[in-house]
Amino acid sequence: MPVILRDAKPEDAPVLVELIRRLADYERLAHEVVADADKLAAHLADDAQPRCHAVLAEADGEPTGFALYYWTYSTFLTDWGIYLEDLFVRESFRGQGIGFALLAELARRVQEVGGHRLTWQVLDWNAPSISFYESLGARSLEEWKTMRLEGEALERVAFRAQHALRRLDD
């Protein structure tokens, strides 16, 4: 059955949220999902700032998978890239080239703007995905460690920044 890739629109947000929930189940992270279709729709809007993008894969009008991404900038390359936030293909459609098609579409978009990077993360236990990515020539950046500020720590740092900026303005 032919698969069609298309840019997701704000009205696709409920479908994307359902796929995000399936992804979270697969990644054993369902307890972390608070995805909101209205927020996602607003973030997918053409005039949203900042904005995310998604490519939706469909077969016979049925959603089969997605790739959600945003544009990044490399100071070392002084050039654009894409950060792939999530890639997911429904289990019944895996092994049919849909994941590859989604990644290939993002690679094409990077090259279309003269960019040089497509970056993403994968859970260290996800051997099928790691094997798939490595078969494409992707390499693991073992020397980099992901860091995250969230919740109270994020609020505390933002609060400190506001006060630091006030002192600089005085």
Side-chain angles (χ1 to χ4, degrees):
M1 113 179 42
V3 173
I4 295 170
L5 301 182
R6 66 173 179 82
D7 287 327
K9 301 176 186 104
E11 55 267 24
D12 294 313
V15 168
L16 287 169
V17 166
E18 174 57 29
L19 292 170
I20 289 166
R21 290 187 193 289
R22 289 177 186 233
L23 168 65
D25 285 339
Y26 174 78
E27 292 183 340
R28 305 176 203 148
L29 297 169
H31 61 282
E32 292 188 17
V33 176
V34 293
D36 179 291
D38 291 334
K39 281 178 75 173
L40 181 55
H43 298 159
L44 287 168
D46 289 339
D47 60 350
Q49 288 297 327
R51 179 174 189 234
C52 69
H53 306 267
V55 177
L56 192 57
E58 296 175 326
D60 289 335
E62 182 180 358
T64 61
F66 75 98
L68 194 137
Y69 70 96
Y70 53 88
W71 289 96
T72 61
Y73 192 79
S74 168
T75 55
F76 285 10
L77 298 176
T78 59
D79 219 335
W80 296 103
I82 282 179
Y83 185 84
L84 172 60
E85 181 64 28
D86 278 314
L87 173 76
F88 179 72
V89 176
R90 290 180 41 207
E91 190 172 357
S92 59
F93 291 94
R94 292 184 191 146
Q96 299 180 31
I98 296 169
F100 174 77
L102 288 163
L103 271 176
E105 175 60 18
L106 297 188
R108 185 194 67 75
R109 291 177 187 208
V110 170
Q111 287 197 320
E112 187 175 68
V113 299
H116 291 87
R117 281 190 182 154
L118 175 55
T119 306
W120 65 94
Q121 293 180 327
V122 60
L123 291 165
D124 61 0
W125 57 260
N126 192 345
S129 293
I130 292 168
S131 293
F132 167 62
Y133 298 142
E134 288 175 343
S135 76
L136 300 177
R139 64 183 177 90
S140 177
L141 302 177
E142 301 294 332
E143 66 276 15
W144 290 92
K145 184 172 185 138
T146 300
M147 305 296 292
R148 177 182 291 164
L149 274 176
E150 61 186 353
E152 289 181 20
L154 178 66
E155 291 174 19
R156 195 170 44 252
V157 170
F159 179 79
R160 289 174 64 188
Q162 289 175 336
H163 286 81
L165 292 173
R166 284 191 198 131
R167 283 195 297 268
L168 291 174
D169 290 340
D170 292 338

